[in-house]
Amino acid sequence: TMLLLLPPSPVSPAKPTCYRSPAKPTKQKEVLKVGRQSSHDLLRQISELKSTSGDGDSREDGDDDTVENDMADTNQTFKRSMYWNKEVEERVGLAGADPYGLLELDEKRWRASAEELRKAYRRLVLTHHPDKKAAAGAVAANGKKDSPRKENEAKNKVKDEKSAKKDDIDTDDTDIDSEDEEDSEFKLLTRAWELLGNAETRRAYDSVDYFNDNMPQSFRPKPERGPDHFYRVFGPVFRRQAKFSVETPVPQLGDSDTPYDEVVKFYRFWQNFSSWRDFSLMAEHDLTQAEDREHRRWMTRMNKNTSSRVKKDEMGRLQSLVALAYEHDPRVQKA
């Protein structure tokens, strides 16, 4: 048998034609889910999303425009330090909450004095303590302030009601959740004060707090970017690192008009830089899990070795920055 094919009709196309589907292509969009959180936490999440979608934290070339943009804001950043991780977050013990934000000092952060921290904690305790809230509610209901004896009676009554609600099976779950939420807020506030109220633990937290750790690893001078290109790249880095200086005041990079004697003092200071940065939160062993005194001593020794090693590496990064800046400083090249 033979298969007989009919000739094409006159209206048929002479060449093969590809017809596109009328359906519109769908695009995946990344959506940031926002719940009950502060604006500081929201901006931090946006910054983390941008950093993960980019080329990463480390950049090889110090003359990139993005490096200059990242270094523009040297006073405040919503980017986590390169040393912040899940283990550090667990050791802080705040479930990801910001201790400075809990004390309403998130704008000042490490610049806040010990007196400011103490006053902020005392002020917030008066409003967030469960017993204080109960007393304030009783005053609002009565329209006048009761005597201290009546306030104590009101507090004891509230405590008895709470214990009775816990024993009652038919208690409304929403009431229990709201009370638990208030108690958790007060516990977070107390933990934030324990962390920042102690000089040593605060220094350890400030060492890994929000901070831009980026440092240029190379530099290629380009005349078309202007004579101030070197100072725009390296100046903000030194201003950020000045945060950790033990000695104050900290000399800055300056500009092309800075006297050469000041330039020499600047590099001498940074070549002998003394940092208060403490990486004890990156320790591997939890001292509370020690079985005996000898085990605790061994853990302490291992933790100290770990933090010392991390700080040595960080100081090495800083000295590489100083050497790179000194090599390409136009004022040094002219001298």
Side-chain angles (χ1 to χ4, degrees):
T1 58
M2 295 180 62
L3 181 62
L4 187 62
L5 298 177
L6 297 175
S9 63
V11 295
S12 298
K15 295 181 179 181
T17 305
C18 180
Y19 295 96
R20 187 173 57 182
S21 172
K24 294 183 179 180
T26 58
K27 294 182 179 179
Q28 289 185 351
K29 241 180 139 182
E30 189 172 8
V31 179
L32 180 63
K33 184 178 179 182
V34 180
R36 293 183 58 187
Q37 58 182 348
S38 64
S39 59
H40 186 276
D41 293 335
L42 176 60
L43 290 173
R44 175 179 60 81
Q45 292 183 14
I46 295 174
S47 176
E48 290 177 352
L49 288 176
K50 290 182 179 179
S51 62
T52 54
S53 61
D55 295 333
D57 291 342
S58 60
R59 297 180 176 89
E60 294 295 333
D61 197 353
D63 65 337
D64 195 339
D65 288 337
T66 56
V67 176
E68 295 184 16
N69 293 334
D70 287 344
M71 297 174 182
D73 188 2
T74 59
N75 294 326
Q76 186 174 5
T77 179
F78 297 103
K79 185 177 182 180
R80 284 290 191 185
S81 170
M82 61 180 288
Y83 296 105
W84 184 272
N85 51 39
K86 289 295 183 181
E87 289 75 13
V88 173
E89 183 175 312
E90 292 177 359
R91 293 187 186 98
V92 170
L94 286 171
D98 179 19
Y100 285 106
L102 292 171
L103 294 174
E104 298 181 356
L105 291 172
D106 49 327
E107 295 295 330
K108 288 191 174 183
R109 307 195 74 79
W110 64 277
R111 296 184 181 87
S113 64
E115 183 66 17
E116 288 175 328
L117 287 169
R118 184 181 62 83
K119 289 183 178 180
Y121 174 69
R122 288 188 175 182
R123 173 175 55 83
L124 292 171
V125 161
L126 295 177
T127 57
H128 290 281
H129 196 284
D131 294 341
K132 296 291 183 181
K133 284 186 176 181
V139 171
N142 297 333
K144 60 180 180 178
K145 188 174 182 179
D146 295 330
S147 62
R149 182 177 60 82
K150 291 184 178 181
E151 288 183 0
N152 292 331
E153 292 177 356
K155 292 179 183 178
N156 295 330
K157 184 177 180 181
V158 171
K159 291 181 180 179
D160 295 338
E161 291 177 355
K162 287 184 179 180
S163 60
K165 285 182 179 180
K166 290 181 181 179
D167 297 335
D168 189 2
I169 302 177
D170 298 329
T171 303
D172 190 3
D173 293 339
T174 57
D175 294 338
I176 297 178
D177 293 339
S178 62
E179 291 175 1
D180 291 342
E181 184 177 354
E182 291 178 357
D183 292 340
S184 64
E185 290 178 357
F186 178 73
K187 290 179 180 178
L188 287 175
L189 178 64
T190 304
R191 173 55 187 160
W193 166 247
E194 292 175 353
L195 178 67
L196 301 179
N198 182 276
E200 293 183 2
T201 55
R202 183 189 180 186
R203 181 169 60 249
Y205 179 80
D206 288 341
S207 299
V208 296
D209 191 19
Y210 292 98
F211 187 73
N212 187 353
D213 287 291
N214 288 336
M215 295 184 189
Q217 300 177 4
S218 62
F219 180 76
R220 289 179 297 174
K222 293 185 178 180
E224 63 271 16
R225 298 200 176 183
D228 295 334
H229 172 55
F230 169 82
Y231 308 103
R232 293 198 306 271
V233 171
F234 288 94
V237 188
F238 284 107
R239 285 198 293 271
R240 290 199 306 268
Q241 291 293 329
K243 164 187 175 179
F244 304 113
S245 177
V246 175
E247 301 177 10
T248 55
V250 181
Q252 298 302 321
L253 182 62
D255 51 27
S256 57
D257 296 329
T258 303
Y260 184 72
D261 293 341
E262 298 297 325
V263 176
V264 173
K265 292 179 181 179
F266 168 81
Y267 284 107
R268 184 182 296 118
F269 178 89
W270 285 96
Q271 287 169 354
N272 299 279
F273 185 76
S274 179
S275 173
W276 55 259
R277 203 168 188 181
D278 182 6
F279 297 99
S280 57
L281 280 176
M282 301 187 67
E284 301 177 359
H285 304 283
D286 185 3
L287 299 181
T288 59
Q289 303 297 324
E291 299 178 357
D292 50 32
R293 183 180 300 177
E294 292 299 326
H295 192 198
R296 182 183 179 88
R297 289 179 179 175
W298 179 85
M299 285 184 172
T300 303
R301 186 166 60 254
M302 292 297 102
N303 290 343
K304 186 176 180 180
N305 292 339
T306 301
S307 59
S308 299
R309 182 173 63 254
V310 175
K311 184 169 184 177
K312 182 179 179 180
D313 294 340
E314 176 62 19
M315 295 304 296
R317 282 204 326 135
L318 180 60
Q319 289 306 313
S320 298
L321 169 73
V322 176
L324 182 65
Y326 184 82
E327 179 183 357
H328 296 281
D329 195 325
R331 300 165 300 184
V332 176
Q333 295 175 352
K334 291 179 181 178

